[in-house]
Amino acid sequence: MMTSSEIEVENLSEKNVEDSAILEVSTMAVGGVIKQESRDVDFLSNCSTSVEGSVIASPSIDSFSTLPEQEISDFQTDSRDLQVKVDNPQKHLETLETYITFRITTKSMRPEFEEGEYIVRRRYNDFIWLRQKLVDLYPTHIIPPMPGKHTLLAQLDRYSKEFIIARMKLLHVFLNRVVNHPILSCDKNLYIFLTTKPAEFLIHRKNRGNVLVKMTDSLQNIASTYTMKQRHFEFEQIRDYCTALSEKLATVDKINHRIHKERQDYLLELHQLHPIFTLWATSEPELASFLLAIAKAIECNAVAHQKLLENVTNEEREYISYVDAVRNALSRRDSMQIEYEMTVEELAKKRLEKDQLMGLTSGNSSTQNWGGSLWKAESRDEKLERLGQTIPRLAKQTELLQDRVECANENLRSDLQRWNVEKQMDLKNMLISMADRQIRHYQQCMSAWEEILTGLKLDGIGSEVSVGPPIKIPV
């Protein structure tokens, strides 16, 4: 017989078990060993940028790690001094919003990363904050693009597993491009993004940066109405190349989209064709084995088409965003040159005005002071005094802007050289991946037909028909 105190202790322990069932993180397999993450660490990471305790992880939606095993093994054997991995999405429910956070694992041998390994959780808006900080602080560098927000058609499906996996992979690509950059990887905002706890990170996010870094937007507005006088041939050539590359990739993406729709229609036709042969076999006993074999091959082809449709990637569309990021960097560099040229023009006008005033005699200037106005006009000496203060300031500003343009040119040249090497590898991998998907698909379809032909020959059906040797598709 249990006492009342023992009953209270048992009820309390049951309550703790129920609470931990919601906040306890899921186990994950790492290298074949089941590893249980710390409950306290994951609870803090679940809070992300929200107030601690206000986030409840939905127990009905499991967290899932979606990086392939090959990528995980590459992460473990990576020799870089700064490595990041984005995985393990989790859904969070709050009173006014529902959102997804992603786990970011960072390993580094750099001295500023004292702990060596960090695990934090960040949401999509946190990634946007990081990229905007990088754009503001490094306008003449190529800042990798972010995956776009969900479209209107995907509004109701933005919490689906497919959408979350696609976004997570693109965020993983974005963050790795940033840490691979020799300048961006040393930024303090990136360090804060990768290492700080939720409460501290929220403070950094709320702190607005210097207003001066926002001048780029106004300069780009000026650039839309001002034409540069001195255009750099090398940058114009790169801009034209980026435009042509974007058009090619957009055309490929458009055609792939049409092919995808045609494959969807073809899959529906296969699903309608399969029962025809199965029903036909019931009315033709003599041909039943042959008809059922055909039905089986059609079913295998339908499965292969379904896999091909599920594995559709938007690599072309994502790389168009990367090319747009290069063009945006070129535009920001043009804005700096435009500001420099406008300052040079203003300096030339002020110097010309001073020369004209110096050429006037004192008698002529005194007659121009009175124009019938109630307000006293500015005298020649006052104008010269004002110009004497303005011209040195503009001259100094011109020198500073000229140095900034030269630094921008060097930064952009270095990034473009790095991007050209990276682009070749990315495009090669994209095309190889496209070819591999098609090869695997058609091999599955051909194997299905070859299998039924072999079986029918063993049964003595169609033995007189010359089929020829099977076609081997090179891999």
Side-chain angles (χ1 to χ4, degrees):
M1 193 72 180
M2 298 178 63
T3 63
S4 59
S5 60
E6 291 175 342
I7 294 175
E8 290 178 359
V9 170
E10 184 177 359
N11 292 336
L12 181 60
S13 62
E14 290 177 356
K15 183 178 184 300
N16 291 335
V17 170
E18 292 176 357
D19 292 342
S20 64
I22 296 177
L23 299 177
E24 193 75 23
V25 300
S26 59
T27 58
M28 62 178 181
V30 180
V33 179
I34 301 298
K35 177 182 177 182
Q36 180 70 36
E37 294 182 346
S38 170
R39 177 175 179 267
D40 295 335
V41 172
D42 192 74
F43 172 71
L44 290 175
S45 64
N46 280 347
C47 295
S48 186
T49 57
S50 302
V51 179
E52 293 187 11
S54 64
V55 176
I56 301 177
S58 172
S60 61
I61 299 180
D62 296 331
S63 301
F64 47 90
S65 178
T66 48
L67 282 180
E69 294 181 359
Q70 181 64 34
E71 294 188 22
I72 295 176
S73 62
D74 291 344
F75 179 79
Q76 294 174 345
T77 59
D78 200 337
S79 59
R80 294 176 299 169
D81 62 347
L82 180 59
Q83 310 162 34
V84 294
K85 180 176 66 176
V86 181
D87 64 353
N88 194 249
Q90 287 185 358
K91 186 176 181 180
H92 298 256
L93 303 176
E94 287 189 353
T95 305
L96 299 178
E97 66 174 340
T98 301
Y99 58 91
I100 303 294
T101 63
F102 303 90
R103 181 178 61 190
I104 302 176
T105 305
T106 304
K107 293 184 179 181
S108 179
M109 300 176 61
R110 297 183 181 181
E112 60 267 26
F113 293 86
E114 297 178 356
E115 297 183 11
E117 182 174 354
Y118 298 83
I119 298 178
V120 297
R121 299 201 74 86
R122 299 288 184 253
R123 57 188 296 184
Y124 178 77
N125 290 338
D126 299 334
F127 285 86
I128 293 180
W129 170 86
L130 173 63
R131 187 181 188 278
Q132 188 58 49
K133 283 290 185 181
L134 296 177
V135 171
D136 292 339
L137 295 174
Y138 309 97
T140 57
H141 287 284
I142 299 175
I143 310 300
M146 282 276 295
K149 285 184 173 291
H150 50 79
T151 61
L152 182 61
L153 294 177
Q155 173 74 23
L156 299 178
D157 204 30
R158 58 177 175 160
Y159 297 119
S160 66
K161 185 174 181 179
E162 292 75 15
F163 179 82
I164 294 173
I165 290 175
R167 169 169 284 186
M168 184 206 66
K169 289 182 178 180
L170 292 178
L171 292 175
H172 178 79
V173 171
F174 161 75
L175 205 54
N176 274 272
R177 284 172 175 168
V178 171
V179 300
N180 288 337
H181 195 283
I183 304 298
L184 303 181
S185 63
C186 299
D187 179 68
K188 64 176 182 179
N189 294 290
L190 176 63
Y191 174 81
I192 292 171
F193 178 84
L194 295 176
T195 61
T196 56
K197 295 181 179 180
E200 184 180 354
F201 181 70
L202 181 60
I203 295 175
H204 285 286
R205 276 206 57 177
K206 288 184 176 180
N207 288 337
R208 297 186 179 273
N210 193 339
V211 180
L212 294 178
V213 299
K214 302 296 183 180
M215 293 298 293
T216 305
D217 295 336
S218 60
L219 290 176
Q220 290 181 348
N221 294 332
I222 296 175
S224 62
T225 59
Y226 185 92
T227 303
M228 285 190 303
K229 294 182 178 180
Q230 298 179 355
R231 292 188 174 273
H232 285 252
F233 175 74
E234 57 175 325
F235 295 133
E236 291 300 317
Q237 193 175 19
I238 293 172
R239 191 192 308 275
D240 294 340
Y241 170 78
C242 289
T243 301
L245 179 59
S246 294
E247 292 175 353
K248 292 182 177 69
L249 292 174
T251 303
V252 172
D253 180 67
K254 185 177 180 180
I255 294 175
N256 284 339
H257 183 67
R258 289 204 305 263
I259 294 175
H260 182 74
K261 293 183 65 176
E262 292 174 359
R263 289 189 185 277
Q264 288 178 327
D265 296 337
Y266 181 63
L267 181 60
L268 293 176
E269 299 290 345
L270 289 177
H271 286 316
Q272 295 176 3
L273 187 61
H274 176 265
I276 293 177
F277 282 92
T278 55
L279 293 175
W280 189 359
T282 59
S283 60
E284 295 279 356
E286 297 81 2
L287 297 175
S289 59
F290 186 74
L291 294 172
L292 291 176
I294 295 294
K296 181 181 178 182
I298 293 174
E299 183 181 7
C300 292
N301 276 258
V303 172
H305 272 79
Q306 184 66 40
K307 290 182 179 179
L308 185 63
L309 292 174
E310 292 175 353
N311 293 330
V312 171
T313 60
N314 292 324
E315 293 178 339
E316 297 85 3
R317 196 172 305 171
E318 188 274 334
Y319 213 79
I320 291 175
S321 300
Y322 201 6
V323 177
D324 290 340
V326 176
R327 292 196 291 185
N328 291 337
L330 291 170
S331 298
R332 292 192 294 268
R333 179 255 161 216
D334 291 345
S335 299
M336 293 183 178
Q337 182 175 340
I338 287 173
E339 185 183 10
Y340 165 70
E341 291 180 356
M342 293 176 65
T343 307
V344 170
E345 287 184 0
E346 184 67 17
L347 177 61
K349 290 179 181 179
K350 296 299 181 183
R351 285 175 173 171
L352 178 61
E353 183 181 356
K354 181 179 179 180
D355 293 340
Q356 291 175 348
L357 289 174
M358 294 293 291
L360 294 176
T361 62
S362 59
N364 292 335
S365 63
S366 61
T367 58
Q368 294 176 356
N369 285 341
W370 175 254
S373 174
L374 297 176
W375 301 99
K376 182 180 178 181
E378 190 177 18
S379 66
R380 172 179 174 274
D381 294 338
E382 291 174 343
K383 290 181 179 179
L384 289 174
E385 182 180 0
R386 174 175 54 81
L387 291 173
Q389 297 175 355
T390 304
I391 290 176
R393 177 178 57 81
L394 289 176
K396 184 177 181 180
Q397 185 179 0
T398 301
E399 293 179 0
L400 294 176
L401 292 176
Q402 184 179 10
D403 293 340
R404 189 177 70 164
V405 170
E406 292 176 356
C407 291
N409 293 340
E410 292 301 321
N411 291 337
L412 199 51
R413 288 191 186 100
S414 177
D415 274 18
L416 288 172
Q417 184 178 5
R418 188 182 304 105
W419 176 70
N420 278 325
V421 176
E422 182 182 349
K423 176 200 62 181
Q424 294 178 6
M425 294 298 299
D426 290 340
L427 293 179
K428 285 181 180 178
N429 292 334
M430 184 190 307
L431 297 175
I432 291 174
S433 176
M434 181 189 302
D436 286 340
R437 286 195 302 270
Q438 300 298 323
I439 289 173
R440 287 194 299 268
H441 166 70
Y442 286 108
Q443 280 181 338
Q444 292 175 359
C445 295
M446 184 175 294
S447 298
W449 291 109
E450 289 178 347
E451 182 180 354
I452 67 163
L453 285 177
T454 303
L456 291 174
K457 286 182 179 180
L458 293 176
D459 294 339
I461 301 177
S463 57
E464 68 279 0
V465 180
S466 177
V467 179
I471 301 175
K472 294 184 179 180
I473 301 178
V475 179

